Amino acid sequence: MYKIVKKEQLTDSIFLMDVEAPRVAKKCYPGQFIIVKTDEKGERIPLTICDYNREAGTVTIVAQMIGASTMQMGRLEVGEGFQDFVGPLGCPSELIHEDPEVLKKMNILFVAGGVGTAPVYPQVKWMKEHGYDVDVIIGARNKGLIILEDAMKEYAANVYIATDDGSYGFKGNVNDKIKDLVNNEGKKYDLVVAIGPVIMMKFVSLLTKELGIRTIVSMNPIMVDGTGMCGACRLTVGGEVKFACVDGPEFDGHLVDFDESMKRQQLYKTEEGRAILREKEGATHKNGGCGCGGDK
Amino acid sequence: MADPMTRIPVAEQDPKVRATNFEEVCLGYSKEEAMEEATRCLKCKNPQCRQGCPVSIDIPGFISKLQEGDIKEAYFTISKYSALPAVCGRVCPQESQCEAKCVRGIKGDAISIGKLERFVADWARENNVKPVAADEKNGKKVAVIGSGPAGLTCAGDLAKLGYDVTIFEALHKAGGVLSYGIPEFRLPKNTVVASEIENVRALGVKIETNVIIGKSTTIDELMDEEGFDAVFIGSGAGLPRFMGIPGENANGVFSANEYLTRSNLMKAFDDSYATPIVAGKKVAVVGGGNVAMDAARTALRLGAEVHIVYRRGEEELPARVEEVHHAKEEGIIFNLLTNPTEILVGEDGCVTGMKCVEMELGEPDESGRRSPVVKEGSDFVLDVDTVIMSLGTSPNPLISSTTKGLETNRRKCIVAEDNGATTKDGVFAGGDAVTGAATVILAMGAGKTAAQAIDEYLQGK
């Protein structure tokens, strides 16, 4: 069993957990993900790593309760645990391997959407710990859905909050805020790292293409094994078929076929809807999706 | 006494009934049937059957014990050579191995060696007879990567020799292809597979699941930091191939690996499990191997009309004859000499059909099989909503790309000598990771050979 040693409710539906997984904690880097499975009959749920503590042997994950499986996860408490927890999967963020001289000269903007703020956090933290200052936009529909703001402020040079309804910070979506920073505040960025719902990453990439800023996105498609075995996570990048689990999860946002990815995410939605209904009635049934499709 | 030229038939579930369930198709011999079939064995002085067996099981030896009614001894005879007899009795291609060489087979039916092996192994399980563990440990540690047929065999053999063996498995359950690939109706998981793995554990082998070598740790770290004296790589060939035709990323196109993993490992066919699966109403399975048959028969059991789409003819089907026969009996439709050229996709991103061309057979190619050639103007659309690609698999580069000094060939297979030795000192490999996708028994044979080589290597150290 992989024990939960800390649990925090970040919003009504988003929770954070520190899980004992020494092998993963020892080897993981920002940008990578894990797969967690609650019990014998549960699904394999891929979640991007939010933080890790190599000494304590723990890995921090953040998930949103949107499907039957993530709801089941969210009901677990400290002292309980997961039957399976495997990783690290996928490739680390390219920033980890970038030449320090190059990084020093780069102005980087991280754009985090909803629960996608969690995988942005370790990258920002890593940058700060290695001496690089970066900017972060955290976007959500409303104030109640903003997560990890304080944690992010500890490591980012600037944290900008954007809410669709204006209930907190800048009124508008993350793209409005990017435009505001570039057009009104004279900010210049060489790289944007956008992580959030696919629809957000699509529109950020469209905008940054116009602005001529290279952009990295982190894809989180449906997966089974996470090691390249099933091919469920395939997507088209620059006309080539890639597996998000082994080739990604991070890709060049200007090359990803987001429309195809969005359609592929819908595959088990009907099943999932049924499962949530049953879940509310108290029974466990089939469901689908990875549970971290973001702020929808 | 029955005609000694004719094998005792084995009971099977009725095709109409089994097409709707995931219970095992073949019901196996009763004790009386097994003993009667055993009496047909001529106990040849120079048994050809053994030469046909990749792990050289003493076949006349175990059959003689069976003739005497000593099933326990028959089991111990087999388990000297094989760690997975209940599996092999079910999934080995006996018709092209041991049974193909059986002298009885020259004039009549070969002895039903596979069914007898299965009977003995099932009897042992039901009567709680287990293989015997080594008396003494020799204190040397061996890591085995992958808990499929190659890994389990290698681990079992090394444990019997007194080694301290740990198997590392990437998935959450041990068994490799036995767990994720081969369906329940051919190889029951909770009884047969679980108990064979339990037997390997009973020999003292430790199994650590959820460890991906190349990600969670590396071979170099296992040897340098965790104190393993030797490593066996039996990581299989897990990467699916796709055709590269338009529409292949549509919703409703799956690799056979995904489809089977959802159904077998994740038990999507069982409503009490959370795994979703798209059953499909009309399913095309592209390919003609055993995996294609497994995927087709799984889709059929989930309620679909299923077509096997294969570019060559019936004679060229790489699947075992028995599997093709079972598939036909159950109502799988065979569209042979047919090749897909495009998957048609609707507005919503879902499959609406599959464009195909008819083929005819031309000259033999390098594999010796006649190569299919497109018949001009033969385009047609197969009306399907789900497509399962079963075109073979190749080894995962995760291990080879993270291990210093481990050579691979152009097909990403690990380069190994006949005894399993790789280009890296102390590291051995076998099974699909070396050969590319093959059979359970060949992988077991490689695991067995490598266990001997590892023993020799470590004795010499």
Side-chain angles (χ1 to χ4, degrees), chain B residues 97-134:
Chain B
Q97 297 180 350
C98 52
E99 293 176 14
K101 305 249 175 167
C102 175
V103 172
R104 268 283 185 224
I106 298 170
K107 284 187 182 159
D109 291 343
I111 307 293
S112 205
I113 300 169
K115 301 288 186 286
L116 292 180
E117 181 186 26
R118 168 184 163 155
F119 167 75
V120 170
D122 286 357
W123 181 92
R125 181 180 69 248
E126 282 153 19
N127 291 278
N128 212 17
V129 175
K130 296 199 174 296
V132 188

Side-chain angles (χ1 to χ4, degrees), chain A residues 40 230 234 263-264 286, chain B residues 173 248-249 251 255 268 271:
Chain A
E40 178 61 30
C230 78
R234 60 195 190 277
K263 281 178 187 157
R264 287 187 63 78
K286 288 165 184 261
Chain B
K173 213 174 206 108
E248 227 170 356
N249 282 2
N251 284 355
S255 71
D271 250 350

Side-chain angles (χ1 to χ4, degrees), chain A residues 2 23-24 26-27 32 37 40-44 69 72 83-92 222-232 234-236 241 243 246 260 263-268 271 278 284-289, chain B residues 168 170-173 180 208-212 215-218 221-222 225-226 238-240 242 248-255 257-258 261-262 265-278 346-350 396 398:
Chain A
Y2 299 83
R23 279 197 190 275
V24 186
K26 190 179 162 200
K27 296 285 285 189
Q32 291 186 293
K37 184 164 162 289
E40 178 61 30
K41 297 188 170 182
E43 269 195 279
R44 292 172 65 94
S69 294
Q72 194 191 359
Q83 188 179 67
D84 300 288
F85 193 97
V86 62
L89 295 156
C91 303
I222 294 169
M223 277 183 197
V224 185
D225 62 291
T227 63
M229 207 181 91
C230 78
R234 60 195 190 277
L235 73 167
T236 307
V241 177
F243 287 6
V246 286
E260 179 187 86
K263 281 178 187 157
R264 287 187 63 78
Q265 275 197 334
Q266 300 303 311
L267 184 57
Y268 296 108
E271 284 267 345
R278 286 170 185 152
T284 312
H285 282 282
K286 288 165 184 261
N287 76 320
Chain B
F168 295 97
L171 289 169
H172 57 267
K173 213 174 206 108
Y180 76 76
E208 199 180 328
T209 52
N210 297 321
V211 181
I212 302 169
K215 288 286 179 188
S216 314
T217 185
T218 62
E221 285 169 334
L222 287 177
E225 292 169 26
E226 297 198 30
L239 293 194
F242 287 92
E248 227 170 356
N249 282 2
N251 284 355
V253 182
F254 305 95
S255 71
N257 259 5
E258 177 183 358
T261 301
R262 284 181 182 277
L265 179 75
M266 307 296 296
K267 306 256 186 291
F269 68 85
D270 179 342
D271 250 350
S272 71
Y273 283 75
T275 317
I277 195 163
V278 172
E347 276 291 300
D348 56 357
C350 296
N396 199 321
L398 264 184

Side-chain angles (χ1 to χ4, degrees), chain A residues 19-290:
Chain A
V19 182
E20 264 177 13
R23 279 197 190 275
V24 186
K26 190 179 162 200
K27 296 285 285 189
C28 65
Y29 281 103
Q32 291 186 293
F33 64 99
I34 55 96
I35 284 181
V36 61
K37 184 164 162 289
T38 323
D39 57 21
E40 178 61 30
K41 297 188 170 182
E43 269 195 279
R44 292 172 65 94
I45 307 169
L47 293 171
T48 315
I49 291 164
C50 173
D51 203 356
Y52 48 88
N53 184 329
R54 301 207 199 282
E55 287 73 43
T58 58
V59 176
T60 307
I61 52 172
V62 170
Q64 184 167 27
M65 295 189 271
I66 49 169
S69 294
T70 40
M71 286 181 192
Q72 194 191 359
M73 257 185 91
R75 278 197 294 269
L76 292 175
E77 297 299 337
V78 170
E80 296 178 296
F82 299 103
Q83 188 179 67
D84 300 288
F85 193 97
V86 62
L89 295 156
C91 303
S93 155
E94 64 168 50
L95 298 172
I96 308 299
H97 300 300
E98 187 57 89
D99 180 354
E101 288 306 311
V102 176
L103 279 185
K104 221 182 274 174
K105 291 182 197 133
M106 272 169 95
N107 290 313
I108 304 177
L109 173 66
F110 286 87
V111 180
V115 74
T117 310
V120 165
Y121 171 72
Q123 302 203 21
V124 171
K125 182 177 170 187
W126 189 92
M127 292 297 284
K128 181 69 191 174
E129 285 175 348
H130 288 79
Y132 313 109
D133 281 334
V134 301
D135 287 356
V136 181
I137 299 175
I138 304 177
R141 280 202 310 268
N142 58 56
K143 186 181 179 181
L145 296 169
I146 298 286
I147 60 168
L148 300 170
E149 184 190 350
D150 293 338
M152 202 74 87
K153 278 183 171 157
E154 220 176 293
Y155 296 103
N158 298 293
V159 174
Y160 307 99
I161 305 290
T163 51
D164 295 356
D165 64 358
S167 52
Y168 187 40
F170 179 87
K171 183 178 188 310
N173 61 32
V174 292
N175 262 5
D176 298 330
K177 186 64 203 173
I178 296 172
K179 282 186 230 165
D180 179 53
L181 289 175
V182 172
N183 298 335
N184 305 331
E185 300 200 19
K187 291 270 188 180
K188 282 195 167 51
Y189 294 109
D190 309 299
L191 179 73
V192 166
V193 179
I195 309 179
V198 181
I199 186 89
M200 179 204 96
M201 295 191 284
K202 174 186 168 175
F203 283 105
V204 169
S205 298
L206 284 173
L207 172 67
T208 55
K209 195 163 188 183
E210 241 173 68
L211 298 171
I213 309 170
R214 200 164 80 79
T215 296
I216 300 292
V217 296
S218 177
M219 302 300 284
N220 203 337
I222 294 169
M223 277 183 197
V224 185
D225 62 291
T227 63
M229 207 181 91
C230 78
C233 66
R234 60 195 190 277
L235 73 167
T236 307
V237 182
E240 272 180 60
V241 177
K242 299 279 182 191
F243 287 6
C245 67
V246 286
D247 300 319
E250 299 195 349
F251 294 100
D252 183 335
H254 295 162
L255 298 178
V256 171
D257 183 342
F258 290 105
D259 292 338
E260 179 187 86
S261 288
M262 279 189 274
K263 281 178 187 157
R264 287 187 63 78
Q265 275 197 334
Q266 300 303 311
L267 184 57
Y268 296 108
K269 285 288 180 209
T270 328
E271 284 267 345
E272 188 179 16
R274 262 183 228 131
I276 291 170
L277 277 180
R278 286 170 185 152
E279 178 74 10
K280 284 180 179 161
E281 287 157 15
T284 312
H285 282 282
K286 288 165 184 261
N287 76 320
C290 65

